[in-house]
Amino acid sequence: MKPSTINTGILSILAAIGLLVTTIAPVMTVTPPLPPTPPKVNQPPLVLVQTLTPQILKNFTKLYGQLLAVKFTPTQRQNIQERLSKEWMTNLVLRQNVTQTTEMEATIVNGTPTERTQLQTKTVGKLRQQVLDGDVDALWLVSFYDGVPKNWLVADNPPLTRMMTDSGSDALCFMINEIMGQTVATNSSQLKNSVAAKFKDEYPDLSPAIKQELSNLPLNWLKFKGNKWYAALGDEFREEMRVYWGERLSEYIPELRDMTKLRRDRLEKLKNDPIESWDKMNPLERQVALQKTDLEFQNGLKAFARQTPIQVNNYISVMDLGTAIGVSPTRYPVKPAAKSNRK
């Protein structure tokens, strides 16, 4: 209690026995002060969540199947109902997707074939972008569409889907931008189409292992993004990954060669400098050593003019992007084996 603070109960007692008096007012009634009014806190408005009824479940499943032109199996229907029931109260985005679908009932049921096709294209495109933005629920929703054979890019085992190629082009842009240290590649519609065409041509000739990795790429890429670029593994890991990507991608994207060399030289200098004793450092000491080289590294960057956007699709025809991304350690937080020139 602060020294200047007097308990209101004590004030009441003093007033009752007549001790709270002054020379001007010998008898005086004192009203205990009211407790301070707590500051107003902006409370978020209460949101009433509509109850998920069996009718809503049935109606959404029916409409969503019609929207995607998918005939759900009994198992798929059960999976949809179980997931919606489990996440309905806590998953706002999922509720919004259900609501938006039911609001399009008139077009889905009574629209012309052209209107329904346009709506399907718009919905699937929106879901694919949501996946690239990190929405795992969108990946689940679009997987029903990608599971239909007529929507495959290549019928194989596993089949090639557009979500796989879109994730591939997104991963490619991310790698290029990390290598260059600036945004020079954008996952545009043109690039997505170019990567899809390249995958479609080369997919049948890829090894079963690479095909399997690519089939897992959409989900693994979501996990990668969710790990915030593996911040817990430190700057050393991220720099080694940039070098790893650069050494493979610069074979068919010439603009990456000089920057890859700069990054590789930086790491090699650290690892081969007897003063630094890289192999004996703990992770914190390695991070400090990397930071010490930042000034030299930044000076090296000044030699590079502001890079104009790289037209990645110009090089798609001469690369095996499936292999480059399929074997990338980005799918798991595993540190790649460091190369060493020591004897």
Side-chain angles (χ1 to χ4, degrees), residues 138-150:
L139 179 59
W140 173 65
L141 289 169
V142 82
S143 67
F144 294 109
Y145 179 85
D146 286 341
V148 178
K150 69 182 181 67

Side-chain angles (χ1 to χ4, degrees), residues 41-172:
V41 178
N42 292 328
Q43 297 288 347
L46 294 177
V47 178
L48 298 178
V49 178
Q50 182 182 13
T51 303
L52 180 64
T53 64
Q55 184 58 42
I56 293 177
L57 279 171
K58 181 179 179 180
N59 195 36
F60 168 73
T61 305
K62 175 185 175 182
L63 290 174
Y64 195 61
Q66 290 178 323
L67 174 61
L68 299 185
V70 175
K71 187 175 182 180
F72 293 126
T73 66
T75 300
Q76 287 176 324
R77 290 177 179 274
Q78 183 178 355
N79 289 340
I80 292 173
Q81 294 177 6
E82 288 178 352
R83 182 157 184 171
L84 289 180
S85 298
K86 181 180 179 180
E87 301 186 26
W88 183 255
M89 296 299 296
T90 59
N91 195 326
L92 174 61
V93 176
L94 200 57
R95 289 202 308 271
Q96 288 176 337
N97 278 315
V98 172
T99 301
Q100 290 169 2
T101 300
T102 55
E103 288 175 349
M104 296 185 294
E105 181 174 4
T107 304
I108 295 173
V109 176
N110 302 319
T112 65
T114 300
E115 289 175 333
R116 288 196 297 269
T117 299
Q118 291 175 342
L119 184 58
Q120 180 190 94
T121 301
K122 181 180 179 180
T123 300
V124 172
K126 176 184 175 182
L127 288 173
R128 294 202 193 287
Q129 185 56 50
Q130 287 177 336
V131 174
L132 299 182
D133 291 339
D135 187 353
V136 66
D137 293 312
L139 179 59
W140 173 65
L141 289 169
V142 82
S143 67
F144 294 109
Y145 179 85
D146 286 341
V148 178
K150 69 182 181 67
N151 298 327
W152 295 342
L153 297 181
V154 177
D156 208 315
N157 184 27
L160 178 68
T161 68
R162 183 60 188 246
M163 198 67 255
M164 291 161 60
T165 64
D166 282 0
S167 297
S169 61
D170 196 52
L172 176 63

Side-chain angles (χ1 to χ4, degrees), residues 237-256:
F237 171 80
R238 288 193 292 274
E239 192 68 3
E240 287 190 345
M241 288 306 308
R242 294 181 187 110
V243 173
Y244 177 92
W245 296 328
E247 289 176 342
R248 284 149 185 80
L249 298 180
S250 60
E251 294 178 7
Y252 47 83
I253 304 180
E255 291 93 331
L256 303 181

Side-chain angles (χ1 to χ4, degrees), residues 4 50 95 172 230 311 319:
S4 60
Q50 182 182 13
R95 289 202 308 271
L172 176 63
Y230 295 133
Q311 300 301 318
M319 72 178 187

Side-chain angles (χ1 to χ4, degrees), residues 201-263:
D201 290 340
E202 296 191 355
Y203 192 77
D205 298 326
L206 296 177
S207 69
I210 295 299
K211 290 177 183 177
Q212 189 59 51
E213 289 294 347
L214 289 174
S215 72
N216 296 329
L217 182 59
L219 181 57
N220 286 333
W221 191 236
L222 274 175
K223 292 178 180 178
F224 175 84
K225 288 185 171 182
N227 278 328
K228 304 299 182 185
W229 192 184
Y230 295 133
L233 296 181
D235 291 337
E236 173 204 353
F237 171 80
R238 288 193 292 274
E239 192 68 3
E240 287 190 345
M241 288 306 308
R242 294 181 187 110
V243 173
Y244 177 92
W245 296 328
E247 289 176 342
R248 284 149 185 80
L249 298 180
S250 60
E251 294 178 7
Y252 47 83
I253 304 180
E255 291 93 331
L256 303 181
R257 290 172 184 165
D258 290 341
M259 181 62 80
T260 299
K261 183 179 184 301
L262 182 64
R263 292 190 180 279

